[in-house]
Amino acid sequence: MSEIQEKLLKSLQDFQSTQLVKDKYENILEHLDSGIILFNSYGMLTFINVQMARLLGISRSSLIGCSITEILRHAQLGRSNKRKLLRIYKETIFQRKGHHEFCDERGRHWLLSITYGDQMDGDYLISAKDVSDYKLIEETAYQNDKLAMLGKISASIAHEIRNPLTAIRGFIQLLRPHLLQIGKDEYARIILAEIDRANDIISEFLNSSKPSAPQTTIINVSSLLKETVLLTESEALMKGCQIVLYEPDESTYISVDVKQIKQVILNIIKNAMDAIEEIGHDDAGIIEIHIEEVHKSVRIHIRDNGNGMDNNTLSRLFDPFFTTKESGTGLGLSVSYRIIKNHGGVISVESELGKGTQFMITLPFTKFKH
Ligand SMILES: Nc1ncnc2c1ncn2[C@@H]1O[C@H](COP(=O)(O)OP(=O)(O)O)[C@@H](O)[C@H]1O
Ligand SMILES: [Mg+2]
């Protein structure tokens, strides 16, 4: 082989191997779970990966070589995506923001970042990363912070209110013989009873908001639910609603703090009764409870046909002190959330305004008896 032939063969081999590496990297970029789009210095699209094309809802082949204006006029581009693109364009190009966040149709959160300048040879690289999981962690941390704060506030409320109450109680007792002399012992009795009631309310509030580790016992889900339903039946009857407990499988056991879990179920049933009262059903209000086994957990469903919730209520439901009721405390669900979390479980909700609400409590189960 001549020297020239050898050189030619060598450069061909070099070219092939560079091409192979290039193909490999392109393939990786194309199938990355983040979306990537590259514009050259003339504003022409030179590369787009599968994920980004999916986000735009346009086929990749019809996008290569398009300018940003052509993309905005693209026949396959849906109206909501067009609006989204225009907003991103405005923020990143005109306001020179390096980041933009948006939510797609499936409710996933994306973080968009744009890179350009010297290191990009005049190209503009836009990448979109799915940050839904980080968002969820962030929200949970925020929720936990709020709950921790609630615990602190309650402790200081206890100090601030209980002490003066104790003093008042003492003095009333001292005055009691004098009141008796003037025939007003009844006043003393009422004042003492009311102070005791105020103390009880504070204790209940503190008990429910103080974070405490669950005292677990192994219990049959079926009897736990039956006992809890029994506690609410008379109130339900008075409010004209029916509670239906679909006979659960007797063999499902969970290891929980019975008092706490009962409190959670009671909170949810009471809210359901309030929601039914709100809608004013003529005795057609119904609360259905059933359980289901999911993987290694038990899921308790509590569904009502009450007034349901709008999105604002849904998003703030578990916030301490959030209530839409005149005499509500807004503590029931925030406490329930914490109790279920302490048990290693999850509480979730689905609701439709005017139709009803379903709460789902998922708890890890202990064992099945056959
Ligand atoms: N089943 C339900 N149907 C409709 N709204 C509900 C339901 N459960 C809870 N909510 C809403 O969530 C809010 C917070 O509930 P909760 O924490 O128990 O506090 P409270 O019952 O004192 O208002 C309620 O005020 C209500 O707006
Ligand atoms: Mg409540």
Side-chain angles (χ1 to χ4, degrees), residues 206-225:
L206 286 176
N207 281 343
S208 57
S209 56
K210 223 176 1 192
S212 60
Q215 306 280 316
T216 54
T217 33
I218 293 177
I219 186 170
N220 185 291
V221 188
S222 159
S223 44
L224 176 86
L225 288 177

Side-chain angles (χ1 to χ4, degrees), residues 155-330:
S156 54
I157 287 177
H159 255 71
E160 297 305 321
I161 300 183
R162 265 210 187 130
N163 294 343
L165 279 182
T166 316
I168 297 171
R169 200 177 197 287
F171 284 120
I172 291 295
Q173 266 169 335
L174 283 179
L175 284 177
R176 201 167 185 173
H178 302 286
L179 287 170
L180 189 66
Q181 267 176 10
I182 54 167
K184 300 288 182 199
D185 186 48
E186 180 65 6
Y187 288 178
R189 201 191 55 76
I190 294 174
I191 294 171
L192 289 175
E194 288 298 298
I195 290 176
D196 289 345
R197 200 164 71 92
N199 259 325
D200 285 350
I201 293 172
I202 294 172
S203 311
E204 201 175 304
F205 172 79
L206 286 176
N207 281 343
S208 57
S209 56
K210 223 176 1 192
S212 60
Q215 306 280 316
T216 54
T217 33
I218 293 177
I219 186 170
N220 185 291
V221 188
S222 159
S223 44
L224 176 86
L225 288 177
K226 272 188 211 155
E227 281 167 29
T228 317
V229 167
L230 215 62
L231 294 174
T232 56
E233 257 171 1
S234 57
E235 195 179 341
L237 215 65
M238 252 165 35
K239 292 190 168 168
C241 61
Q242 192 192 351
I243 302 183
V244 184
L245 172 62
Y246 292 101
E247 272 312 300
D249 187 345
E250 296 281 339
S251 61
T252 315
Y253 283 76
I254 44 177
S255 166
V256 292
D257 185 316
V258 177
K259 239 171 93 183
Q260 290 189 356
I261 298 297
K262 270 189 186 169
Q263 190 191 344
V264 171
I265 294 166
L266 277 176
N267 281 340
I268 296 176
I269 295 181
K270 283 201 166 139
N271 281 343
M273 290 198 278
D274 291 342
I276 286 170
E277 211 179 14
E278 194 76 26
I279 214 170
H281 273 306
D282 296 325
D283 286 351
I286 184 163
I287 301 167
E288 290 165 293
I289 305 172
H290 76 271
I291 71 163
E292 163 191 41
E293 286 147 24
V294 194
H295 303 301
K296 286 193 170 143
S297 13
V298 177
R299 188 169 294 162
I300 305 168
H301 297 252
I302 303 172
R303 186 170 48 216
D304 67 69
N305 59 352
N307 63 342
M309 288 174 252
D310 56 18
N311 282 339
N312 178 43
T313 306
L314 264 177
S315 64
R316 302 178 57 195
L317 202 60
F318 297 106
D319 285 2
F321 303 115
F322 172 78
T323 179
T324 56
K325 300 169 197 169
E326 227 165 85
S327 58
T329 60

